[in-house]
Amino acid sequence: MDNLSKQVDFIKEIDKLKYIQRKTKLFNSERNENDAEHSWHLAMMAIVLAEHSNEKIDLLKVIKMVLIHDIVEIDAGDIFLYDTQMNHNNTEEELKAAKRIFGMLPENQAAEFIQIWEEFEAGETNEAKFAKSMDRFEPLLQNTTNKGGTWKEFDVDYEKVYEKKKAIDKGSNTIWNYAKNLINESVEKGFLKKK
């Protein structure tokens, strides 16, 4: 029962993820996405798009990565990818959050979740590269359906978008080629401006 109590406490704690608002908005919408919606969408994308991974991947591990990668934002908050004041890679603060939140679980599960989260953050394994590709691809799709969305709202130019989104290529050349076309179409449609 001790394990179950810890697991239920963790499940209650991660409900807070539903209240973490992201800058990006839902497809064709004015409503901001929350972290829980984002994580669910990435898991579905990983399942649907797995065949486009550059390398063979353990899909279950990718799904775990995308479902837990933003849980740390319960404590650390969401940092906008294009934020000019804060570094998007605030891993020290996030590691502290990971240890607190995942530490609520029984020891073996806590260790597994922290390891998976750290692997995602490092971005070096095939699974982490593909998971990060999904994480970069979803907001791009949102912004293209929202006539520029956060790109326009926060005056983000083509060069910044291209620089941040090219990480998609590490996980999937195919999806990156598709994403590049969307970025270029966004320039043509006036949703994204070049310097």
Side-chain angles (χ1 to χ4, degrees), residues 7-138:
Q7 291 161 333
V8 169
D9 286 345
F10 172 79
I11 288 166
K12 289 177 180 176
E13 181 68 11
I14 64 171
D15 187 67
K16 293 176 182 175
L17 203 61
K18 298 171 187 175
Y19 296 95
I20 307 295
Q21 295 295 303
R22 296 170 48 79
K23 296 281 189 256
T24 47
K25 297 186 173 28
L26 301 176
F27 287 82
N28 300 303
S29 175
E30 285 300 312
R31 181 169 80 72
N32 289 69
E33 177 182 52
N34 67 49
D35 268 354
E37 292 167 328
H38 171 66
S39 298
W40 164 82
H41 212 170
L42 296 187
M44 288 303 302
M45 288 172 63
I47 293 166
V48 172
L49 300 174
E51 70 182 84
H52 303 292
S53 176
N54 289 341
E55 305 293 337
K56 189 173 181 335
I57 53 171
D58 175 345
L59 183 56
L60 179 57
K61 189 179 222 184
V62 172
I63 292 168
K64 286 180 181 181
M65 282 182 182
V66 297
L67 286 175
I68 71 169
H69 81 290
D70 278 343
I71 287 176
V72 297
E73 293 182 1
I74 290 170
D75 288 358
D78 178 47
I79 296 180
F80 185 44
L81 183 62
Y82 304 105
D83 194 301
T84 55
Q85 305 300 312
M86 295 180 75
N87 181 354
H88 188 260
N89 300 318
N90 61 339
T91 48
E92 194 173 303
E93 203 175 304
E94 290 180 343
L95 178 59
K96 183 179 168 187
K99 287 179 178 176
R100 182 194 76 78
I101 300 166
F102 300 139
M104 295 175 74
L105 288 164
E107 206 171 301
N108 61 330
Q109 282 184 319
E112 179 194 3
F113 278 39
I114 290 169
Q115 185 278 318
I116 288 171
W117 178 80
E118 287 177 329
E119 184 177 336
F120 174 85
E121 288 297 314
E124 294 171 2
T125 64
N126 293 339
E127 288 77 16
K129 288 175 187 175
F130 190 71
K132 282 183 170 282
S133 291
M134 298 298 95
D135 195 33
R136 294 289 167 96
F137 189 44
E138 190 234 15

Side-chain angles (χ1 to χ4, degrees), residues 161-180:
V161 170
Y162 191 93
E163 183 63 30
K164 294 289 187 182
K165 298 300 179 181
K166 72 180 181 183
I168 294 169
D169 195 38
K170 292 179 183 174
S172 174
N173 306 134
T174 306
I175 294 172
W176 172 232
N177 287 331
Y178 185 89
K180 278 192 295 190

